């Protein structure tokens, strides 16, 4: 901030001691120190505000460029979609023109009726037959851990 060397500081201290006097010098030094601190904080606040405003300007510029790019992309998508729709309608018109020559009016108005598929979603269909599960020892019913331990506990012979 202010470039003051050691010799200049000593000269200022001697002049202050002569002008103010030794009794009031500590109080004046405290006051000068608080004023310098406030000035440094003010300068730091101004610098941070300037930096913040510069960053905001950069962000606004970036936002504008992104928005313009998004608008360009949206415009190209709309134009390509309208071109595709136009081509699709042209193709459908030509297909309808060729198909109408081959189909009669009675065939084009037939609509297929709904037929129930006949599935019973409540029935559970397993891939493995029950007899195979019983032979292989596959568990078909839930069993608690204690019941399983009791089931496989070795029997005592009398």
């Amino acid at each position: 901030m202010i470039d003051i060397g050691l010799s200049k500081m000593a000269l200022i201290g001697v002049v202050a001691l002569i002008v103010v006097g030794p009794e009031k010098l500590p109080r004046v030094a405290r006051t000068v120190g608080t004023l310098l601190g406030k000035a440094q904080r003010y300068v730091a606040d101004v610098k941070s505000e300037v930096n913040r405003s510069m960053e905001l300007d950069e962000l606004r510029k970036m936002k504008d460029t992104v928005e313009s790019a998004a608008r360009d992309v949206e415009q190209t998508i709309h134009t390509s979609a309208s071109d595709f729709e136009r081509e699709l309608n042209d193709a459908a018109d030509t297909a309808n023109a060729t198909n109408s020559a081959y189909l009669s009016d009675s065939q084009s108005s037939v609509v297929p009726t709904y037929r129930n598929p006949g599935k019973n979603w409540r029935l559970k269909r397993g891939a493995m037959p029950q007899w195979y599960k019983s032979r292989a020892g596959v568990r078909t019913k839930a069993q608690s851990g204690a019941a399983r331990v009791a089931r496989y506990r070795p029997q005592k012979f009398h």
Side-chain angles (χ1 to χ4, degrees), residues 4-111:
I4 299 176
L6 190 59
S7 61
K8 291 181 183 177
M9 294 265 298
L11 182 65
I12 291 172
V14 170
V15 170
L17 183 62
I18 293 171
V19 171
V20 175
E23 302 89 27
K24 296 181 182 178
L25 187 62
R27 190 170 9 137
V28 170
R30 263 195 309 263
T31 306
V32 168
T34 56
L35 290 176
L36 278 175
K38 286 181 183 179
Q40 286 177 347
R41 282 192 295 274
Y42 179 73
V43 168
D45 288 343
V46 168
K47 280 184 181 179
S48 66
E49 188 65 33
V50 168
N51 288 338
R52 209 174 296 131
S53 66
M54 288 172 50
E55 288 174 2
L56 281 175
D57 289 341
E58 290 175 6
L59 285 175
R60 283 188 190 116
K61 288 177 186 175
M62 189 183 303
K63 177 186 164 202
D64 292 340
T65 57
V66 168
E67 283 178 349
S68 64
R71 269 189 245 108
D72 293 342
V73 167
E74 183 181 9
Q75 186 66 26
T76 56
I77 288 173
H78 281 301
T79 55
S80 62
S82 63
D83 292 343
F84 178 73
E85 191 174 328
R86 194 175 313 114
E87 290 174 8
L88 188 64
N89 287 338
D90 292 343
D93 289 343
T94 57
N96 285 340
T98 57
N99 285 343
S100 64
Y102 295 117
L103 294 176
S104 67
D105 292 335
S106 63
Q107 288 177 342
S108 63
S109 64
V110 174
V111 177

Side-chain angles (χ1 to χ4, degrees), residues 120-126:
N120 191 354
W121 57 272
R122 287 187 179 95
L123 284 179
K124 192 172 187 181
R125 297 183 182 138

Side-chain angles (χ1 to χ4, degrees), residues 112-123:
T113 59
Y114 174 75
R115 192 171 57 88
N116 192 357
K119 295 179 180 177
N120 191 354
W121 57 272
R122 287 187 179 95
L123 284 179

